[in-house]
């Protein structure tokens, strides 16, 4: 995942507007998932995914969604194995 530093990325009215450059197939999966999570985003044919981050939850949802669709499978497996090894602190 890569966040563009182009002039199209901006901070306006308390919202961070980002261009996220990911694989063109994963981009559509991420777009539809973010739409389902009510994260404002836009995706047009042949262009980067544009996402509006207006609160911390949206930033976490963006990161998590991109990881779910674009991270290598082995990386996801390793993460899940680490999660199973973490013990809850009472």
């Amino acid at each position: 995942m890569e966040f563009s530093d182009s002039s199209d990325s901006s901070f306006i009215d308390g919202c961070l507007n980002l261009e996220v450059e990911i694989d063109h197939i994963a981009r559509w999966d991420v777009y539809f998932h973010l739409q389902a999570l009510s994260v404002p985003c836009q995706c047009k044919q042949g262009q980067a995914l544009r996402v509006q981050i207006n609160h911390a939850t949206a930033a976490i949802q963006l990161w998590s969604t991109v990881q779910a669709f674009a991270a290598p499978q082995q990386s996801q497996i390793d993460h899940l194995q680490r999660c199973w090894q973490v013990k809850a602190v009472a």
Side-chain angles (χ1 to χ4, degrees):
M1 171 176 68
E2 183 175 313
F3 295 103
S4 174
D5 288 333
S6 71
S7 59
D8 292 335
S9 297
S10 59
F11 189 76
I12 300 172
D13 295 330
C15 296
L16 179 61
N17 297 300
L18 298 173
E19 284 190 358
V20 182
E21 304 218 7
I22 55 176
D23 174 75
H24 69 282
I25 295 171
R27 178 179 62 222
W28 288 103
D29 291 328
V30 170
Y31 167 74
F32 289 120
H33 194 77
L34 291 173
Q35 287 283 307
L37 294 169
S38 299
V39 175
C41 56
Q42 180 181 34
C43 191
K44 294 183 180 178
Q45 185 71 28
Q47 295 182 6
L49 173 64
R50 298 177 65 115
V51 182
Q52 184 179 59
I53 304 299
N54 49 17
H55 49 77
T57 302
I60 293 167
Q61 289 171 326
L62 170 61
W63 178 86
S64 178
T65 300
V66 170
Q67 292 302 309
F69 289 103
Q73 184 178 17
Q74 188 59 50
S75 173
Q76 294 180 20
I77 291 169
D78 293 343
H79 176 73
L80 286 173
Q81 288 175 339
R82 284 190 307 273
C83 288
W84 282 106
Q85 293 173 359
V86 175
K87 295 181 181 180
V89 177

